[in-house]
Amino acid sequence: ASSRTSRAAAFAAKHHNMALEIIGLTSAANLEYTKSLGIYDTVILYSEVASLAKQKVAVQDVAGNPTVRRDIYKHFGDGVVYCGRVGIAHVGALAEEGSLDGLGGATPESFLVFTAIEEVNKIYGKAKGSEMLADATKAFNARMLPQFKAVRSYGADATKRVYDDMVAGLADPNLTYVCSMWAEELHEPIPEATPARRGEAVAAGAAGRGSRL
C-alpha cells in the first residue's frame, strides 16, 4: 500500500467518491508512513488479513507475494470478486509458489492500465473518461507533489546500495530514488524546472540514459 501505484489507486477511488472501503496492506516498516497518507480507510500489516471483516473484495495486488495472496483468498474465499496482478514489488516472489486451489474467488488476472482505461471509456465515453483522468491526475499532483522528495544516485555502486536497502526493507518510503548506472559527470543534465513541473522533470529523466530503479 505504500508504493506509488497503490497510493494512486487509493487516491483515485477516494477522489471519484467510489462507495468502497479502501484497505491497505503493508509491511511493518512502512505501516506508520502508509497510515499518515490519509488515503486509506484501514491500514494493516500483511500478517493481519484474517482480522478483516469478511465481505466482497476487489484486490489490486502490487506486492505479488504468493503467501499474502493466498491468505487473502483463504480469508475471503468466494468474496474475492476480482484480483488484478499489477506487479511484483515483493523481492523473491518469483521463487515462491502459492496455490489457490480450492479457496474459491475470482482467478487472478494481469491488470493493464490501458485495458482499464478502455473499460472506463466504454462506460463514460472517451471524452468523459479523459476528463476524469485529467481531473484525478491534477488533484493527485496537488496532494502529493508538495511531499515529493527525490534522491539521485549515480554509478553502479550507488545504485546497488539503493537496491540492497530496498531488499533489506531499509529504504525510506518518504523518498523517491532516481538511480543511474552512469557516473554523475557523464549523466545528462536536468533542465531547470518550475516547482509545479519538478516532479515531471524527474519522471522524464527516468526515460533517459542509463538504468533506473
Side-chain angles (χ1 to χ4, degrees), residues 5 37 50 60 72 79 95 129 135 139 147 158 169 210:
T5 302
L37 295 172
Q60 184 190 47
I72 291 172
D135 181 54
Q147 307 168 27

Side-chain angles (χ1 to χ4, degrees), residues 23-61:
I23 301 171
L25 305 182
T26 191
S27 65
N30 292 335
L31 182 64
E32 293 307 316
Y33 167 75
T34 306
K35 286 182 177 180
S36 74
L37 295 172
I39 54 178
Y40 294 98
D41 297 310
T42 302
V43 179
I44 62 171
L45 298 175
Y46 292 126
S47 59
E48 297 176 328
V49 169
S51 69
L52 295 170
K54 291 191 175 183
Q55 57 185 313
K56 290 184 178 181
V57 294
V59 181
Q60 184 190 47
D61 185 4

Side-chain angles (χ1 to χ4, degrees), residues 61 64-75 77 80 83 85 93-108:
D61 185 4
N65 184 327
T67 301
V68 175
R69 186 163 55 244
R70 181 175 174 80
D71 287 345
I72 291 172
Y73 272 81
K74 186 176 180 180
H75 182 63
V80 180
C83 180
R85 304 175 87 167
L94 289 176
E96 298 178 15
E97 296 182 2
S99 173
L100 302 177
D101 291 347
L103 298 180
T107 301

Side-chain angles (χ1 to χ4, degrees), residues 19-180:
L20 300 171
E21 179 185 6
I22 312 302
I23 301 171
L25 305 182
T26 191
S27 65
N30 292 335
L31 182 64
E32 293 307 316
Y33 167 75
T34 306
K35 286 182 177 180
S36 74
L37 295 172
I39 54 178
Y40 294 98
D41 297 310
T42 302
V43 179
I44 62 171
L45 298 175
Y46 292 126
S47 59
E48 297 176 328
V49 169
S51 69
L52 295 170
K54 291 191 175 183
Q55 57 185 313
K56 290 184 178 181
V57 294
V59 181
Q60 184 190 47
D61 185 4
V62 177
N65 184 327
T67 301
V68 175
R69 186 163 55 244
R70 181 175 174 80
D71 287 345
I72 291 172
Y73 272 81
K74 186 176 180 180
H75 182 63
F76 291 104
D78 287 331
V80 180
V81 298
Y82 172 81
C83 180
R85 304 175 87 167
V86 183
I88 309 177
H90 174 72
V91 175
L94 289 176
E96 298 178 15
E97 296 182 2
S99 173
L100 302 177
D101 291 347
L103 298 180
T107 301
E109 59 185 79
S110 295
F111 173 87
L112 297 175
V113 67
F114 303 108
T115 302
I117 290 175
E118 288 178 0
E119 292 300 316
V120 170
N121 290 343
K122 287 179 184 178
I123 298 172
Y124 296 99
K126 188 172 182 179
K128 181 62 176 178
S130 297
E131 180 185 334
M132 292 169 64
L133 177 60
D135 181 54
T137 300
K138 181 179 179 180
F140 181 79
N141 288 342
R143 172 75 176 271
M144 297 299 181
L145 279 182
Q147 307 168 27
F148 179 83
K149 299 176 183 178
V151 175
R152 296 181 64 85
S153 297
Y154 299 93
D157 290 340
T159 297
K160 186 177 183 301
R161 282 195 294 273
V162 172
Y163 176 80
D164 288 342
D165 282 348
M166 288 191 170
V167 172
L170 300 176
D172 187 342
N174 292 284
L175 303 178
T176 294
Y177 297 89
V178 184
C179 302
S180 172

